[in-house]
Structure formats: C-alpha cells, structure tokens
Amino acid sequence: MNEFSLIQRFFKEKSLQQQSLKADGVVLGIGDDAALLQPPADQQLVISTDTLVAGRHFPLDTPAHAIGWKSAAVNLSDLAAMGATPQAILLAISLPSADEDWLAQFSQGLFDCCAPAKVQLIGGDTTKSPTLTITVTALGWVPTGQAICRQGAQVGDLVMVSGKLGDAAYALQHPASDLQRKLDYPQARNELGVALRGYASSMLDISDGLAQDLGHILEASQVGAVLQLESLPLSSTLQLLEPHIRFQYALAGGDDYELCFTISPQRLKGFYEKNGSAFQLHVIGEIVAEQGLVLQYQQAPVELNNKGYQHFD
Ligand code: ADP
Ligand code: MG
C-alpha cells in the first residue's frame, strides 16, 4: 500500500463519512495542501501539540487502538486545560511499516476519542521511520480573553482536581492490572474545562504528576500551596497501598490527564449552583502566600522525594 492510499483509507474516508467526525467551521479537511477553517467570531485560536514515541510514552505492547485514542486524548486534554472547545486535530505519524490491521485499529482509536467532542481530523503527514512516533496538533477556540492560564492563582483559592490520581502510573508498573484502562484510555476533561471558564483562576492538565504540574501553576502565579494528602482522590486499588507508596503514585506518577485548577470558595459556590453535580471535583488544598508546595498528612508535614516525570534527567 502506498502513502496516498494509506491516508485515503485509514484517515480521509472515515473522517468524511461519519457525521460525528465532522466539526463546524471546517471549510476544507484532508486532501489539499492545507486545511481551511472559518474562525468563529470573537474567539481566540488555542493550539497545542504533543508527540508520543513508542517505548517512551507508551509501552511497546500497547494495543494500536489505545495508541490512537491516547494520541488524540493527550492533546484534547491540553485544550481542556485552557478552557477551550476543541475543533480539529492534525496527525503527523512516522511508521516502521504500513501494517493494515495496526492502522485500522489505530485510526479507530483516534476517531473514537474524537467523535464524542465532534473533533475533526483535518490533515497531517505520513512518513516511514524505524520508531513509531505520533505527533498530534489540536486546535480549539475560546471566547476572547477567557482562556484559563497557569498564571492567576490567588491566595485563599482552593486547589482542586477533576478525578482520581496515580492510577496510570500504577498501571505502568503493574501490567494487566485492573487499572490498565486508566493508562491506555485517558479521558480529556473538555466539558469541565469549558464549564470552568469564568470560575477557575488558573488551570493545567496533570501529565507529569500532580506535584510537578501544580508547581508550574505556583511558579507562574508566584504563590504557594498547602495540600492535604488525605484529600487526594484515590482509586480503591491505590487505597490498599501503604500511604507513602500511594501518595508517591498520586503526586509523582504521570499520565493522569485530570485537570488541576484553583478557584475562590465564592466562585466554587457559583460553579456548583450552575452545574450541580455534573462533574466529580475534589478540593485537595489551598493557595497560600509563601511560595513552594507544602504537603501535609494528618496535620503533619510530609516530604516527597521524587517530584515527577522529566525527560532529560
Ligand atoms: P503534501 O505533500 O502536500 O504535504 P501529503 O501527501 O503529505 O501532501 O498529504 C496529502 C493530504 O493528506 C494533506 O491534506 C494532508 O494534510 C493529509 N494527510 C497526510 N497524512 C495524514 C495523516 N496521517 N492523517 C491525516 N491527514 C493526513
Ligand atoms: Mg505533507
């Protein structure tokens, strides 16, 4: 199969056939030299890109469907973290070979992740290389001035997260455990990200571990935080582990793709009045003036030795 029939069969046909894979505002998708989008009035373009390298960002034996899903999900998660509504993705893929079964599963996983949010695959690039490498670029829109940035946390704000932490990191070390799906199929929190516009004072998505990622908010906002470790939302599997082990997963494990945000108690009240219990949210700590991250467990301070995932250590 040559490059053009591969693109046609696994990426173009489906994205044109299925209604749930067509996004509003896409004038021209796959097939020309570039895609054409009609920007919505009074919105800012939000754009982000992430690369997944086989053996580094996912184990080599990860099913193709999960790789496709995750390639899209980690990028949609970055848009969620800005409070953006996702619209489209581009896919640059470097493949060792054109394995048709693999490609069918991969593209299905990618489309399965995109369909619920009506995100359209509008272009990309296909090349051959010894290491499977996938770069997705995601585009979305936010009303002008309403993006939720890392900067903006205020003293007295609550620190909150959108779901359980540490499960993916646990699954990475315990293959075929009951938490495997959390590693293979992260859920981008796009609806929550949009709902938090006008409420959250700062936000990001947790990809490299809560402690490290929250550190980015604290640095950008020039504030500190105190976290209560007993408030961290943990799955029943993690709750069975020794405290120092389960907190290590929750604080320094990667690949959670939950949102971490700060919000004033008053705004949080307003958010709940508007949204009821539509989202599972957890207060885990508070923003303080003194810079740095302080961890407390049963009122006593705790040290964390491994701060989170880094590529060049
Ligand atoms: P060019 O040589 O002009 O860059 P290509 O042959 O690379 O064109 O791509 C042809 C069309 O297919 C373009 O619209 C491009 O965006 C799209 N495309 C290529 N690879 C992919 C892919 N992996 N996923 C989605 N679209 C792709
Ligand atoms: Mg090209």
Side-chain angles (χ1 to χ4, degrees), residues 3-4 7 11 29-34 91-93 121-126:
E3 178 193 331
F4 303 108
I7 295 167
F11 300 114
I30 297 172
D32 216 306
D33 292 309
L91 166 70
I93 185 165
L121 177 65
I122 58 167
D125 198 24
T126 306

Side-chain angles (χ1 to χ4, degrees), residues 10-214:
F10 296 108
F11 300 114
K12 184 174 175 187
E13 273 172 18
K14 190 133 193 189
S15 79
L16 292 179
Q17 276 161 7
Q18 208 169 309
Q19 205 53 39
S20 61
L21 295 171
K22 286 187 201 160
D24 296 338
V26 176
V27 182
L28 192 58
I30 297 172
D32 216 306
D33 292 309
L36 272 181
L37 305 180
Q38 184 61 51
D42 305 320
Q43 307 255 332
Q44 290 174 318
L45 172 64
V46 185
I47 183 161
S48 177
T49 195
D50 253 327
T51 294
L52 271 65
V53 178
R56 175 150 284 270
H57 296 93
F58 53 85
L60 292 171
D61 62 355
T62 305
H65 186 275
I67 298 171
W69 175 286
K70 197 166 178 173
S71 305
V74 302
N75 280 280
L76 298 186
S77 180
D78 279 320
L79 295 189
M82 300 299 288
T85 304
Q87 182 197 31
I89 60 169
L90 295 124
L91 166 70
I93 185 165
S94 294
L95 294 157
S97 67
D99 176 333
E100 296 186 20
D101 287 341
W102 191 93
L103 277 161
Q105 288 297 312
F106 171 85
S107 66
Q108 190 61 48
L110 185 97
F111 289 132
D112 284 347
C113 180
C114 289
K118 277 204 102 196
V119 169
Q120 184 168 340
L121 177 65
I122 58 167
D125 198 24
T126 306
T127 51
K128 192 170 176 177
S129 102
T131 305
L132 170 64
T133 307
I134 302 143
T135 300
V136 170
T137 301
L139 297 87
W141 303 95
V142 70
T144 300
Q146 288 190 36
I148 307 170
C149 301
R150 294 177 177 194
Q151 174 190 336
Q154 303 284 326
V155 174
D157 283 355
L158 302 167
V159 180
M160 301 188 67
V161 292
S162 61
K164 301 201 170 60
L165 304 176
D167 287 349
Y170 178 91
L172 188 61
Q173 290 185 3
H174 300 83
S177 74
D178 60 328
L179 294 175
Q180 186 68 38
R181 278 194 75 81
K182 297 293 292 284
L183 177 64
D184 289 344
Y185 291 95
Q187 304 288 325
R189 304 294 185 195
N190 292 99
E191 284 175 21
L192 173 61
V194 168
L196 283 167
R197 291 203 299 242
Y199 294 97
S201 53
S202 71
M203 180 152 69
L204 48 59
D205 67 324
I206 308 172
S207 52
D208 299 326
L210 171 68
Q212 183 170 299
D213 287 331
L214 176 57

Side-chain angles (χ1 to χ4, degrees), residues 150 153 159-161 202 204-206 209-221 223-227 251 260-262 284-287 292-295:
R150 294 177 177 194
V159 180
M160 301 188 67
V161 292
S202 71
L204 48 59
D205 67 324
I206 308 172
L210 171 68
Q212 183 170 299
D213 287 331
L214 176 57
H216 300 317
I217 285 185
L218 302 182
E219 232 170 80
S221 305
V223 292
V226 180
L227 295 189
L251 291 162
C260 174
F261 60 95
T262 59
I284 60 169
E286 200 186 323
I287 296 294
L293 179 61
V294 173
L295 306 173

Side-chain angles (χ1 to χ4, degrees), residues 224-243:
V226 180
L227 295 189
Q228 313 298 332
L229 297 189
E230 51 270 53
S231 302
L232 294 178
L234 301 180
S235 65
S236 51
T237 304
L238 260 65
Q239 280 172 34
L240 293 173
L241 306 173
E242 294 285 325

